[in-house]
Amino acid sequence: MQAADILLAATGISKHFGGLAALTDVSISVRRGEIFGLIGPNGAGKTTLFNVLTGLYAADAGELAFDGQTITGSKPHRVARQGIARTFQNIRLFGGMTALENVMVGRHVRTRTGVLGAVLRTRGAAAEERAITRRARELLDYCGLAARAGTLARDLPYGDQRRLEIARALATEPKLLALDEPAAGMNATETATLRKLLERILAGGVALLLIEHDMKLVMGLSHRVAVLDYGEKIAEGEPAAVQRDPKVIAAYLGGTVV
């Protein structure tokens, strides 16, 4: 594997909260053009690692590099500008805004007009706002939500809210999309629709980093999988090999992973 193939590299990441070691010397890498799954029992440190990777938490130790640039210690807005977008385990939409407006908010990460231009409604600001609206509509259509553009986010069915979060994340033009349990709470039909969307996103050139408790989904989609347990990485590899790893089986309380 060439270094140029690595999109995201997290090396030796550790994070403590008081006396609790949430992550201990965790290293993962996500390649261009792949879906990388991150699994583990509840409390294993998966979301903490996501929060470190996306700038919400600062690591106590370790290094982060993305697309050849060091991003260690970068704030969330800088991480987003670098090309990492994410969704959250608990949906974080603006409930009182329409689906279209939610996606437009995400798109503003890539705007060039300053505050003064927006206030004065300069010609450039107006043109940019039209472009933002147009792109937001395209992304809603891409995610199967075109008919929901004018619906308030809080009034959308649960599965649509999940896909709206993805549309908003895509509005930032990411190179890597980090998804924290996107299938949580979905029924079988919604999960099947989500899978098709994730496959489409990957085919469009965006790599995916996926936390997911739906083992059928994550093992069926991922090219490689890493397993965390008590804040440490205990396995990494192709899904079939990871499922047979004794440490992984033990971490899931003696049962099989699928």
Side-chain angles (χ1 to χ4, degrees):
M1 179 174 58
Q2 301 294 320
D5 294 331
I6 301 296
L7 183 59
L8 172 69
T11 307
I13 300 297
S14 295
K15 179 66 180 176
H16 292 76
F17 297 100
L20 175 66
L23 297 170
T24 303
D25 196 27
V26 175
S27 298
I28 64 168
S29 61
V30 181
R31 302 168 187 168
R32 302 177 193 277
E34 79 167 347
I35 298 178
F36 188 96
L38 188 63
I39 65 173
N42 288 331
K46 304 181 297 296
T47 296
T48 298
L49 181 57
F50 256 41
N51 288 339
V52 170
L53 297 177
T54 55
L56 289 177
Y57 294 162
D60 297 323
E63 299 292 331
L64 296 172
F66 182 74
D67 202 17
Q69 302 293 320
T70 297
I71 60 170
T72 306
S74 293
K75 299 298 183 183
H77 70 280
R78 293 191 180 278
V79 172
R81 283 189 175 275
Q82 284 288 108
I84 301 177
R86 71 167 296 177
T87 64
F88 292 85
Q89 183 176 353
N90 298 314
I91 295 174
R92 296 190 182 181
L93 295 169
F94 299 104
M97 297 170 64
T98 66
L100 179 65
E101 290 166 341
N102 268 272
V103 181
M104 290 174 68
V105 168
R107 187 64 186 166
H108 275 282
V109 169
R110 297 296 178 187
T111 57
R112 296 180 177 84
T113 302
V115 174
L116 184 61
V119 171
L120 297 178
R121 297 295 296 168
T122 63
R123 182 177 300 177
E128 189 169 60
E129 196 69 15
R130 288 194 296 272
I132 289 169
T133 303
R134 181 170 60 252
R135 181 56 179 157
R137 290 189 181 279
E138 290 171 354
L139 287 169
L140 286 175
D141 183 53
Y142 183 88
C143 293
L145 297 170
R148 303 288 195 176
T151 304
L152 293 181
R154 62 171 172 250
D155 294 334
L156 291 172
Y158 183 82
D160 288 355
Q161 289 187 13
R162 285 285 181 190
R163 285 185 289 139
L164 179 57
E165 268 209 319
I166 293 173
R168 185 175 63 183
L170 290 174
T172 68
E173 296 182 12
K175 299 173 185 176
L176 173 67
L177 178 57
L179 301 161
D180 193 348
E181 297 198 34
M186 286 188 173
N187 60 37
T189 300
E190 290 169 334
T191 299
T193 300
L194 173 68
R195 176 170 182 154
K196 290 179 181 178
L197 175 59
L198 298 185
E199 290 172 335
R200 185 180 186 188
I201 291 168
L202 182 71
V206 179
L208 299 173
L209 175 58
L210 178 65
I211 291 176
E212 186 52 66
H213 279 294
D214 185 329
M215 291 296 106
K216 183 178 180 181
L217 177 66
V218 72
M219 292 298 187
L221 275 175
S222 301
H223 299 90
R224 292 184 299 132
V225 175
V227 187
L228 297 183
D229 191 30
Y230 292 105
E232 298 184 12
K233 187 176 76 172
I234 61 171
E236 181 179 336
E238 295 182 355
V242 166
Q243 291 178 85
R244 297 191 298 268
D245 190 302
K247 292 181 180 179
V248 176
I249 294 171
Y252 281 86
L253 305 178
T256 56
V257 176
V258 293

